[in-house]
Structure formats: structure tokens, C-alpha cells
Amino acid sequence: MRSTRLVATIGAAAFALAATGTLIAQGTPGEAPGRADPARVSGGTYLADPSHSMVQWRVDHMGFNDYFGIFGDVDGTLTLDPANPGRASVDVTIPVAGVTVPSEGLREHLLRPGKDGGSPDFFGPDPMPARFTSTAVTIGADGTSAEVTGDLALNGVMMPVTLETRFTGAGAAPRTGYETVGFEGRTTINRSDFGLGFGVPMVGDEVELEFSVAFEKRDPQ
């Protein structure tokens, strides 16, 4: 786990340095364009930025350590009304087939077809994207956190979940000029509830999901 975290840290640092260099080359001032100021958010519908939106999952591995994976290229929409933030709604899809893990063997197992025509251990070779659709939003007293309740469809099963979310920033993206808003948060599910119980209890049933998403106000392509 230590080596995995080291690789992830080095990769994140390299990305940040490269992005910083690009912004400097474009003449962007030193201050980051996004700030966690709700007054900077305008109403309307925003589209997820797949290049900067991801969901990380974390599960106990036999009681020895935790294992991590990532779903990237998150797509979807977010509707905001600053005058009534509790009326916000979000609908996003997560391409399960693009799951990223440190071990190629594990990725192959996650997407492996069932043996002799049976059910796969996990997602199988052509999994449908997961989808989260909000049904209610409760804004926290600080105005920057919220509980977002909704339905999570995963592996052919739909169940209600509640996301603990936090507003992380808003502003104009320097390269595109799009109004951009960011959020992060977490929830916990039992994978067996979604027909993904292979290996339980040797491998944990409880899965922690953490997400970091960016939405841009732009016209659909």
C-alpha cells in the first residue's frame, strides 16, 4: 500500500507541476482561479468535466491492508439555483468498464466473464455504466456542505444512497473561460447489495467511495 500511495503522490505532483507550468506559460496570475466562495456560483445547468472527475473505491483486503481503484471519465449534469441551493440536482454516469487498478490481474478478474456461461465474479466483460441520480439535497449550516440523497444503479441493481458532499471551488477556467464548480465527498456501500459479493468476508463487503468532480457551464456537444 505504501508503494501505491507513493506512486499516486508522485503522479499527482507531476500533474500539478505540468498544469502550473502551462498556466504560467499562458500568462495566468499566480492565484488559483477557483475559490470555495458560494457567491461565485451562478444558476443553471452544468456539464461534468470527464477529464477532472473521478470516483475512488477502497475495500479491506483480508484484514491486511486496504485496496484502491478508480473510475474516471465521469459524465453527467448538475443543476444549481443559488437562491435556493436545496433545489440542486445531479445526474451522473460512471463508466465501470474503464476501472483502473494497480494490478492488471485484478482488472482482468473484475471484467472477466463467468466460467462455463455462469455469472461473473464481479462486473463481467461488458458492464453497464453506474449511475447516480439525486432525489433530495439538504444544505449544511455552513452553506458549503450538503447531504445528497439519491439512487445508485450499479451492476443491474438500484439502491438509495446518501452522499456527504462539500463545495470546493468556483470560478472561470483560465483556458476555456467556462464557469466551473467543484465538489468532493464520500459514501459507503455494501458491494454484496449490488451482486458483487465475491470473496466476502475474506475481502471486505463494505466499500468506501470518494469522489472529486468538476462541472462546467457550457453548451452540450
Side-chain angles (χ1 to χ4, degrees):
M1 184 171 66
R2 183 178 300 171
S3 61
T4 301
R5 287 178 175 171
L6 178 60
V7 170
T9 300
I10 292 173
F15 176 82
L17 286 172
T20 301
T22 300
L23 293 178
I24 291 173
Q26 293 173 344
T28 303
E31 184 179 273
R35 294 201 301 274
D37 178 2
R40 307 183 89 195
V41 179
S42 65
T45 298
Y46 293 71
L47 302 182
D49 174 6
S51 298
H52 299 97
S53 299
M54 67 213 75
V55 178
Q56 174 185 275
W57 52 265
R58 175 175 183 156
V59 64
D60 174 78
H61 178 247
M62 298 187 179
F64 296 124
N65 66 336
D66 287 349
Y67 208 92
F68 300 83
I70 292 177
F71 298 112
D73 293 325
V74 175
D75 197 8
T77 60
L78 169 70
T79 301
L80 296 173
D81 179 2
N84 192 347
R87 295 183 62 185
S89 64
V90 63
D91 185 348
V92 295
T93 58
I94 302 120
V96 173
V99 61
T100 298
V101 291
S103 164
E104 184 59 33
L106 174 59
R107 185 176 190 280
E108 187 274 332
H109 191 185
L110 292 173
L111 302 178
R112 181 191 304 165
K115 187 176 181 181
D116 298 326
S119 299
D121 293 337
F122 295 105
F123 300 113
D126 190 25
M128 290 291 293
R131 182 177 181 181
F132 175 80
T133 305
S134 67
T135 55
V137 175
T138 302
I139 305 298
D142 60 3
T144 61
S145 63
E147 286 190 351
V148 181
T149 302
D151 295 319
L152 175 64
L154 173 64
N155 200 41
V157 178
M158 180 179 289
M159 296 195 68
V161 300
T162 298
L163 312 180
E164 301 292 336
T165 69
R166 184 172 70 89
F167 167 62
T168 54
R175 188 169 61 85
T176 63
Y178 295 139
E179 290 184 53
T180 302
V181 294
F183 298 87
E184 65 182 23
R186 65 182 61 211
T187 192
T188 301
I189 63 172
N190 290 327
R191 60 189 178 94
S192 60
D193 290 341
F194 295 90
L196 299 167
F198 179 83
V200 174
M202 294 288 285
V203 177
D205 190 11
E206 189 173 89
V207 180
E208 296 179 15
L209 301 176
E210 297 186 26
F211 59 87
S212 178
V213 293
F215 293 89
E216 302 172 325
K217 184 183 280 191
R218 55 185 172 86
D219 294 329
Q221 299 299 312

mmCIF file of all heavy atoms in Angstrom, residues 161-186:
data_model
loop_
_atom_site.group_PDB
_atom_site.id
_atom_site.type_symbol
_atom_site.label_atom_id
_atom_site.label_comp_id
_atom_site.label_asym_id
_atom_site.label_seq_id
_atom_site.Cartn_x
_atom_site.Cartn_y
_atom_site.Cartn_z
ATOM 1 N N VAL A 161 -28.742 5.771 -1.751
ATOM 2 C CA VAL A 161 -27.522 6.077 -1.015
ATOM 3 C C VAL A 161 -27.543 7.565 -0.671
ATOM 4 O O VAL A 161 -28.252 8.352 -1.300
ATOM 5 C CB VAL A 161 -26.239 5.741 -1.801
ATOM 6 C CG1 VAL A 161 -26.159 4.268 -2.158
ATOM 7 C CG2 VAL A 161 -26.136 6.588 -3.057
ATOM 8 N N THR A 162 -26.756 7.938 0.330
ATOM 9 C CA THR A 162 -26.614 9.340 0.706
ATOM 10 C C THR A 162 -25.155 9.739 0.623
ATOM 11 O O THR A 162 -24.288 9.072 1.217
ATOM 12 C CB THR A 162 -27.145 9.597 2.125
ATOM 13 O OG1 THR A 162 -28.545 9.298 2.157
ATOM 14 C CG2 THR A 162 -26.945 11.058 2.523
ATOM 15 N N LEU A 163 -24.862 10.788 -0.107
ATOM 16 C CA LEU A 163 -23.512 11.297 -0.275
ATOM 17 C C LEU A 163 -23.277 12.464 0.677
ATOM 18 O O LEU A 163 -24.102 13.377 0.765
ATOM 19 C CB LEU A 163 -23.287 11.777 -1.711
ATOM 20 C CG LEU A 163 -23.715 10.854 -2.857
ATOM 21 C CD1 LEU A 163 -23.409 11.518 -4.195
ATOM 22 C CD2 LEU A 163 -23.059 9.490 -2.756
ATOM 23 N N GLU A 164 -22.164 12.429 1.384
ATOM 24 C CA GLU A 164 -21.731 13.576 2.171
ATOM 25 C C GLU A 164 -20.835 14.424 1.272
ATOM 26 O O GLU A 164 -19.746 13.985 0.888
ATOM 27 C CB GLU A 164 -20.969 13.122 3.414
ATOM 28 C CG GLU A 164 -21.765 12.216 4.340
ATOM 29 C CD GLU A 164 -22.916 12.929 5.024
ATOM 30 O OE1 GLU A 164 -22.855 14.175 5.155
ATOM 31 O OE2 GLU A 164 -23.883 12.253 5.422
ATOM 32 N N THR A 165 -21.274 15.603 0.907
ATOM 33 C CA THR A 165 -20.568 16.384 -0.108
ATOM 34 C C THR A 165 -20.070 17.715 0.445
ATOM 35 O O THR A 165 -20.597 18.231 1.440
ATOM 36 C CB THR A 165 -21.468 16.668 -1.323
ATOM 37 O OG1 THR A 165 -22.503 17.578 -0.947
ATOM 38 C CG2 THR A 165 -22.087 15.373 -1.842
ATOM 39 N N ARG A 166 -19.073 18.255 -0.232
ATOM 40 C CA ARG A 166 -18.518 19.556 0.140
ATOM 41 C C ARG A 166 -18.183 20.345 -1.117
ATOM 42 O O ARG A 166 -17.561 19.814 -2.041
ATOM 43 C CB ARG A 166 -17.255 19.370 0.986
ATOM 44 C CG ARG A 166 -16.660 20.681 1.513
ATOM 45 C CD ARG A 166 -15.531 20.397 2.494
ATOM 46 N NE ARG A 166 -14.354 19.854 1.833
ATOM 47 C CZ ARG A 166 -13.379 20.606 1.320
ATOM 48 N NH1 ARG A 166 -13.441 21.925 1.382
ATOM 49 N NH2 ARG A 166 -12.333 20.028 0.746
ATOM 50 N N PHE A 167 -18.621 21.578 -1.156
ATOM 51 C CA PHE A 167 -18.294 22.505 -2.247
ATOM 52 C C PHE A 167 -16.826 22.913 -2.116
ATOM 53 O O PHE A 167 -16.377 23.327 -1.053
ATOM 54 C CB PHE A 167 -19.206 23.717 -2.126
ATOM 55 C CG PHE A 167 -18.819 24.896 -2.976
ATOM 56 C CD1 PHE A 167 -18.781 24.812 -4.358
ATOM 57 C CD2 PHE A 167 -18.524 26.108 -2.378
ATOM 58 C CE1 PHE A 167 -18.443 25.908 -5.127
ATOM 59 C CE2 PHE A 167 -18.194 27.219 -3.132
ATOM 60 C CZ PHE A 167 -18.148 27.113 -4.513
ATOM 61 N N THR A 168 -16.055 22.758 -3.199
ATOM 62 C CA THR A 168 -14.613 23.000 -3.119
ATOM 63 C C THR A 168 -14.126 24.191 -3.920
ATOM 64 O O THR A 168 -13.007 24.658 -3.696
ATOM 65 C CB THR A 168 -13.836 21.755 -3.577
ATOM 66 O OG1 THR A 168 -14.287 21.356 -4.887
ATOM 67 C CG2 THR A 168 -14.037 20.601 -2.604
ATOM 68 N N GLY A 169 -14.930 24.705 -4.847
ATOM 69 C CA GLY A 169 -14.438 25.862 -5.574
ATOM 70 C C GLY A 169 -15.319 26.264 -6.739
ATOM 71 O O GLY A 169 -16.075 25.448 -7.275
ATOM 72 N N ALA A 170 -15.211 27.548 -7.122
ATOM 73 C CA ALA A 170 -15.929 28.058 -8.290
ATOM 74 C C ALA A 170 -15.126 29.186 -8.908
ATOM 75 O O ALA A 170 -14.381 29.892 -8.225
ATOM 76 C CB ALA A 170 -17.319 28.556 -7.905
ATOM 77 N N GLY A 171 -15.265 29.335 -10.211
ATOM 78 C CA GLY A 171 -14.554 30.388 -10.922
ATOM 79 C C GLY A 171 -14.526 30.078 -12.399
ATOM 80 O O GLY A 171 -15.090 29.076 -12.854
ATOM 81 N N ALA A 172 -13.857 30.915 -13.152
ATOM 82 C CA ALA A 172 -13.734 30.723 -14.597
ATOM 83 C C ALA A 172 -12.452 29.953 -14.900
ATOM 84 O O ALA A 172 -11.373 30.321 -14.433
ATOM 85 C CB ALA A 172 -13.726 32.065 -15.314
ATOM 86 N N ALA A 173 -12.569 28.880 -15.676
ATOM 87 C CA ALA A 173 -11.393 28.118 -16.080
ATOM 88 C C ALA A 173 -10.528 28.987 -16.987
ATOM 89 O O ALA A 173 -11.032 29.589 -17.942
ATOM 90 C CB ALA A 173 -11.796 26.844 -16.803
ATOM 91 N N PRO A 174 -9.217 29.089 -16.722
ATOM 92 C CA PRO A 174 -8.384 30.032 -17.471
ATOM 93 C C PRO A 174 -8.231 29.685 -18.949
ATOM 94 O O PRO A 174 -8.087 30.586 -19.778
ATOM 95 C CB PRO A 174 -7.043 29.965 -16.739
ATOM 96 C CG PRO A 174 -7.047 28.668 -16.013
ATOM 97 C CD PRO A 174 -8.464 28.414 -15.647
ATOM 98 N N ARG A 175 -8.274 28.417 -19.292
ATOM 99 C CA ARG A 175 -8.030 28.042 -20.687
ATOM 100 C C ARG A 175 -9.281 28.161 -21.542
ATOM 101 O O ARG A 175 -9.228 28.562 -22.696
ATOM 102 C CB ARG A 175 -7.467 26.620 -20.759
ATOM 103 C CG ARG A 175 -6.989 26.205 -22.154
ATOM 104 C CD ARG A 175 -6.194 24.904 -22.093
ATOM 105 N NE ARG A 175 -6.996 23.809 -21.583
ATOM 106 C CZ ARG A 175 -7.802 23.064 -22.330
ATOM 107 N NH1 ARG A 175 -7.922 23.297 -23.631
ATOM 108 N NH2 ARG A 175 -8.481 22.068 -21.794
ATOM 109 N N THR A 176 -10.451 27.795 -20.958
ATOM 110 C CA THR A 176 -11.691 27.785 -21.735
ATOM 111 C C THR A 176 -12.613 28.959 -21.418
ATOM 112 O O THR A 176 -13.470 29.306 -22.236
ATOM 113 C CB THR A 176 -12.472 26.492 -21.467
ATOM 114 O OG1 THR A 176 -12.852 26.455 -20.079
ATOM 115 C CG2 THR A 176 -11.614 25.264 -21.791
ATOM 116 N N GLY A 177 -12.472 29.542 -20.236
ATOM 117 C CA GLY A 177 -13.375 30.601 -19.818
ATOM 118 C C GLY A 177 -14.686 30.105 -19.253
ATOM 119 O O GLY A 177 -15.525 30.897 -18.814
ATOM 120 N N TYR A 178 -14.907 28.763 -19.238
ATOM 121 C CA TYR A 178 -16.153 28.227 -18.707
ATOM 122 C C TYR A 178 -16.263 28.482 -17.208
ATOM 123 O O TYR A 178 -15.282 28.319 -16.469
ATOM 124 C CB TYR A 178 -16.235 26.715 -18.924
ATOM 125 C CG TYR A 178 -16.305 26.268 -20.364
ATOM 126 C CD1 TYR A 178 -15.587 25.150 -20.782
ATOM 127 C CD2 TYR A 178 -17.105 26.933 -21.294
ATOM 128 C CE1 TYR A 178 -15.657 24.711 -22.094
ATOM 129 C CE2 TYR A 178 -17.175 26.501 -22.602
ATOM 130 C CZ TYR A 178 -16.441 25.394 -22.999
ATOM 131 O OH TYR A 178 -16.511 24.959 -24.304
ATOM 132 N N GLU A 179 -17.464 28.860 -16.753
ATOM 133 C CA GLU A 179 -17.731 28.869 -15.326
ATOM 134 C C GLU A 179 -17.643 27.422 -14.827
ATOM 135 O O GLU A 179 -18.289 26.532 -15.388
ATOM 136 C CB GLU A 179 -19.123 29.422 -15.038
ATOM 137 C CG GLU A 179 -19.284 30.905 -15.287
ATOM 138 C CD GLU A 179 -20.675 31.364 -14.886
ATOM 139 O OE1 GLU A 179 -21.077 31.083 -13.737
ATOM 140 O OE2 GLU A 179 -21.344 31.973 -15.727
ATOM 141 N N THR A 180 -16.865 27.224 -13.790
ATOM 142 C CA THR A 180 -16.612 25.865 -13.304
ATOM 143 C C THR A 180 -16.864 25.804 -11.803
ATOM 144 O O THR A 180 -16.519 26.727 -11.066
ATOM 145 C CB THR A 180 -15.163 25.451 -13.601
ATOM 146 O OG1 THR A 180 -14.935 25.551 -15.016
ATOM 147 C CG2 THR A 180 -14.895 24.017 -13.167
ATOM 148 N N VAL A 181 -17.489 24.698 -11.361
ATOM 149 C CA VAL A 181 -17.698 24.464 -9.933
ATOM 150 C C VAL A 181 -17.173 23.071 -9.597
ATOM 151 O O VAL A 181 -17.195 22.164 -10.434
ATOM 152 C CB VAL A 181 -19.179 24.584 -9.528
ATOM 153 C CG1 VAL A 181 -19.666 26.008 -9.691
ATOM 154 C CG2 VAL A 181 -20.048 23.621 -10.324
ATOM 155 N N GLY A 182 -16.687 22.914 -8.372
ATOM 156 C CA GLY A 182 -16.131 21.635 -7.952
ATOM 157 C C GLY A 182 -16.715 21.176 -6.624
ATOM 158 O O GLY A 182 -17.055 21.986 -5.763
ATOM 159 N N PHE A 183 -16.812 19.850 -6.489
ATOM 160 C CA PHE A 183 -17.328 19.235 -5.273
ATOM 161 C C PHE A 183 -16.536 17.959 -4.986
ATOM 162 O O PHE A 183 -16.010 17.323 -5.903
ATOM 163 C CB PHE A 183 -18.811 18.875 -5.416
ATOM 164 C CG PHE A 183 -19.712 20.045 -5.647
ATOM 165 C CD1 PHE A 183 -19.940 20.514 -6.934
ATOM 166 C CD2 PHE A 183 -20.334 20.675 -4.585
ATOM 167 C CE1 PHE A 183 -20.763 21.601 -7.160
ATOM 168 C CE2 PHE A 183 -21.156 21.761 -4.795
ATOM 169 C CZ PHE A 183 -21.374 22.227 -6.081
ATOM 170 N N GLU A 184 -16.480 17.603 -3.719
ATOM 171 C CA GLU A 184 -15.922 16.320 -3.336
ATOM 172 C C GLU A 184 -16.790 15.730 -2.238
ATOM 173 O O GLU A 184 -17.593 16.440 -1.612
ATOM 174 C CB GLU A 184 -14.479 16.450 -2.864
ATOM 175 C CG GLU A 184 -14.303 17.252 -1.590
ATOM 176 C CD GLU A 184 -12.829 17.380 -1.198
ATOM 177 O OE1 GLU A 184 -11.960 17.250 -2.076
ATOM 178 O OE2 GLU A 184 -12.570 17.602 0.004
ATOM 179 N N GLY A 185 -16.647 14.427 -2.003
ATOM 180 C CA GLY A 185 -17.458 13.814 -0.959
ATOM 181 C C GLY A 185 -17.239 12.319 -0.886
ATOM 182 O O GLY A 185 -16.335 11.772 -1.516
ATOM 183 N N ARG A 186 -18.119 11.675 -0.118
ATOM 184 C CA ARG A 186 -17.953 10.244 0.110
ATOM 185 C C ARG A 186 -19.264 9.599 0.500
ATOM 186 O O ARG A 186 -20.226 10.254 0.915
ATOM 187 C CB ARG A 186 -16.922 10.010 1.210
ATOM 188 C CG ARG A 186 -17.341 10.541 2.594
ATOM 189 C CD ARG A 186 -16.230 10.311 3.611
ATOM 190 N NE ARG A 186 -15.014 10.998 3.241
ATOM 191 C CZ ARG A 186 -13.787 10.560 3.534
ATOM 192 N NH1 ARG A 186 -13.628 9.433 4.176
ATOM 193 N NH2 ARG A 186 -12.732 11.266 3.181
#
